[in-house]
Amino acid sequence: MVLADLGRRINSAVADVSKANVVDESVISGLLKEICNALLESDVNVKLVSRLRNKLKATIDAQDKPGVNKKKLIQKAVFDELCDLVDCHQSEIFKPKKKQTNVVMFVGLQGAGKTTSCTKLAVYYQRRGFKVGLVCADTFRAGAFDQLKQNATKSKIPYYGSYTETDPVKVAFDGVEKFKKEKFEIIIVDTSGRHRQEAELFEEMVQIGEAVKPNQTIMVLDASIGQAAEAQSKAFKESSNFGAIILTKLDGHAKGGGAISAVAATETPIAFIGTGEHVHDLETFSPRQFISKLLG
Ligand code: GDP
């Protein structure tokens, strides 16, 4: 089920409660069942769904006292629990500082939207007065440097890369050093997405991380990736210990639940969401705003 349908289905389950003459155990149990089925069909991890169900039931039971408007209570409890699902309660999201060098390393699978998101983030900070540079450390995929160069040129962002150097660690290091010398404030390092063997990719992330010592590492995750998101995100977490996530392609027909589960599994906040292919299609993420929008 795509995200928009998930929102509609949860809304309609809550509306059914509002329409009921008496909100008894069977109405509440029907609501819980419908919400859980909708979440499962959207690829949200079964353990998370079960936890949400228990918490939701416990909140409703605990707060259901004489004089309390039960329908309102249920509405609020559903909203709060959905927020909790996408909120890992870590407010420590990277805040780059002016007049300092902030190195930001991007990791993620090929096709997730890394190169696109690198440019989006560069533009985001450039518009806020930072001096931003982009480094292409993807020497694996032919055309990766050209893609970054094209995006960067269009957005007037200085860039660094190499057509001849095959060692991504060296390119990353040289690029960061160059921009550091030129007093750039944010240096964004784009990395490779896939290798012949995954182990090699994760080893490469460790090495690039050691070479450029990022102040922040961001994992780019495709919202439509499904259940596979969790294992991949955990592997990236181990190799690069990313501290923030950019969830991409939320404008499309993403189920979203797999990615949401991955976010919960890595206990890492979503910093931004990608809402289109255009360079300005990047929004800061707020759990409450996201759920409000989901529920329309
Ligand atoms: P990379 O391999 O991870 O560097 O991925 P790219 O940046 O090359 O993106 C892969 C494809 O996804 C491209 O066609 C992008 O235009 C597209 N893309 C990236 N972010 C978004 C997004 O937020 N929304 C949509 N609709 N497309 C996106």
Side-chain angles (χ1 to χ4, degrees), residues 109-116 120 147 248-249 251 274-277:
L109 287 187
Q110 195 170 66
K114 245 184 337 310
T115 305
T116 311
K120 285 179 179 178
Q147 188 192 345
T248 61
K249 308 187 193 178
D251 51 306
T275 53
E277 292 187 84

Side-chain angles (χ1 to χ4, degrees), residues 166-185:
T166 53
D167 178 5
V169 182
K170 181 160 178 14
V171 181
F173 182 79
D174 289 351
V176 168
E177 284 306 298
K178 174 189 182 297
F179 284 133
K180 266 188 186 170
K181 272 192 202 119
E182 295 170 12
K183 301 260 181 289
F184 274 66
E185 292 164 308

Side-chain angles (χ1 to χ4, degrees), residues 4 13 18 44 56 59 68 86 108 112 131 135 152 173 177 186 189 211 215 271 276 281:
S18 301
V44 178
L56 194 52
T59 307
V68 169
V86 292
K131 192 173 174 190
V135 178
F173 182 79
E177 284 306 298
I186 299 182
V189 182
N215 302 85
D281 295 332

